[in-house]
Amino acid sequence: MKLPVIKQLTQFIEENDEDYVLETIDTLENLTEVSSLKDEELDVIGELISNMYGAIEVNKMIKDGTPKKEALNTFMSRVLGSIDK
């Protein structure tokens, strides 16, 4: 996951609507079913999907009253903590 990408997507959600990101996730998930995709292409799609889900999680924290910067930092700390385990 990339913090700058999650930050940009979070801004997009704030300015538009979370539904755009959810529909994009559905589209990308559908694309992963294409049998001719290479592993590298699947990795890129997977990275995009995970960043979008991350942005949705950050947006939920912001809606619950967490300041944006704190929400981003908390989310990334959770991600890094799960990688370390």
Side-chain angles (χ1 to χ4, degrees):
M1 293 192 173
K2 304 275 187 202
L3 183 58
V5 174
I6 293 172
K7 191 174 182 180
Q8 179 70 27
L9 287 167
T10 301
Q11 185 66 36
F12 178 85
I13 291 170
E14 289 174 356
E15 293 172 358
N16 296 281
D17 193 316
E18 187 175 288
D19 289 340
Y20 288 111
V21 176
L22 292 171
E23 289 169 1
T24 302
I25 290 170
D26 288 342
T27 303
L28 290 171
E29 286 177 343
N30 181 272
L31 281 175
T32 63
E33 298 174 19
V34 175
S35 61
S36 61
L37 286 177
K38 298 175 185 170
D39 287 343
E40 298 84 21
E41 294 166 327
L42 286 170
D43 289 344
V44 170
I45 292 171
E47 182 73 15
L48 289 169
I49 291 170
S50 65
N51 283 315
M52 289 180 186
Y53 276 124
I56 290 169
E57 287 299 313
V58 169
N59 188 59
K60 286 180 184 175
M61 285 189 264
I62 293 169
K63 282 182 178 177
D64 290 341
T66 305
K68 185 176 184 177
K69 185 175 181 177
E70 184 181 331
L72 287 163
N73 289 334
T74 300
F75 178 77
M76 289 310 291
S77 293
R78 278 194 348 230
V79 169
L80 293 175
S82 69
I83 292 172
D84 291 338
K85 292 181 181 180

